[in-house]
Amino acid sequence: MAVIATISSSPSLSSKTDAVLSDIARQLQRAGHVVVPIVLRDLPAAPLLRGDAHDPDVARAVATLDAADAVVVSTPVYKAAYGGLLKTFLDLLPQFALRGKVVLPVATGGTPAHVLVVDYALRPVLASLAPSSITPGWFVLAEHVTLLEGGEVLLDEAAQRPLREVTAGFLDTVAGRSLVAASAARREAVA
């Protein structure tokens, strides 16, 4: 069992990005992992914009990320780039904030023209934070996501199948990392 932080970077309370992230979180929980959400829109704006990592709420979010074994990063795409809320949060993290973590990047947007944001904008920034692995991510077209009453989400087949595949790959990588960490801990205990 791993602790997996999910980073929600949508500024909107009712968000297709968050709906996709919730669907992924349910898959992670069904696989037996503990999911701990980090909702960036709930952090206080002034400390976040100042990069004040000592603010109690911001510090708690950073500590949650630090304690996680793996991270799912979700973002809406605006003007061919990942969201400013995510950029602001990533900028205040220490240089090696993702060291030893497996990361799954996921983005949503309104046009297929933004599909490359995951690999050409988000992945390099995440890589600069030194994760052990960034698994293949996925871009979900907003038109493939339907928000239902009660917070439920309906993904059409064009989104659901590939999203399940990248999530399964992420889970496989997390499981492999967990086996390596357990093996290292056993070796350390013997030594």
Side-chain angles (χ1 to χ4, degrees):
M1 173 186 72
V3 174
I4 302 174
T6 58
I7 298 177
S8 163
S9 66
S10 175
S12 174
L13 287 174
S14 106
S15 156
K16 292 187 176 186
T17 303
D18 281 355
V20 169
L21 184 61
S22 293
D23 186 71
I24 292 169
R26 282 190 292 277
Q27 291 178 63
L28 302 176
Q29 289 168 328
R30 281 193 299 267
H33 300 289
V34 174
V35 176
V36 184
I38 299 171
V39 181
L40 300 183
R41 74 176 159 270
D42 292 345
L43 296 177
L48 190 61
L49 289 172
R50 284 192 311 267
D52 180 4
H54 299 293
D55 173 84
D57 293 325
V58 173
R60 203 169 10 265
V62 173
T64 297
L65 183 64
D66 187 51
D69 301 302
V71 184
V72 178
V73 178
S74 70
T75 183
V77 176
Y78 302 111
K79 300 186 191 283
Y82 57 91
L85 194 52
L86 180 59
K87 173 72 168 135
T88 302
F89 181 69
L90 294 176
D91 282 350
L92 69 77
L93 295 175
Q95 182 177 2
F96 301 112
L98 297 178
R99 178 180 280 147
K101 299 178 191 329
V102 178
V103 179
L104 170 62
V106 178
T108 60
T111 172
H114 298 310
V115 72
L116 296 176
V117 165
V118 172
D119 288 328
Y120 292 102
L122 187 54
R123 184 177 296 276
V125 173
L126 295 172
S128 75
L129 296 170
S132 61
S133 177
I134 302 174
T135 63
W138 195 252
F139 175 83
V140 179
L141 273 172
E143 68 188 38
H144 294 183
V145 181
T146 303
L147 300 176
L148 303 172
E149 294 292 323
E152 293 297 313
V153 61
L154 177 63
L155 300 172
D156 69 19
E157 186 62 25
Q160 187 176 46
R161 187 179 39 77
L163 199 55
R164 297 271 187 271
E165 288 173 12
V166 298
T167 303
F170 171 73
L171 285 169
D172 288 346
T173 304
V174 168
R177 183 200 169 281
S178 296
L179 290 174
V180 169
S183 176
R186 281 192 300 275
R187 283 193 307 273
E188 194 173 284
V190 171

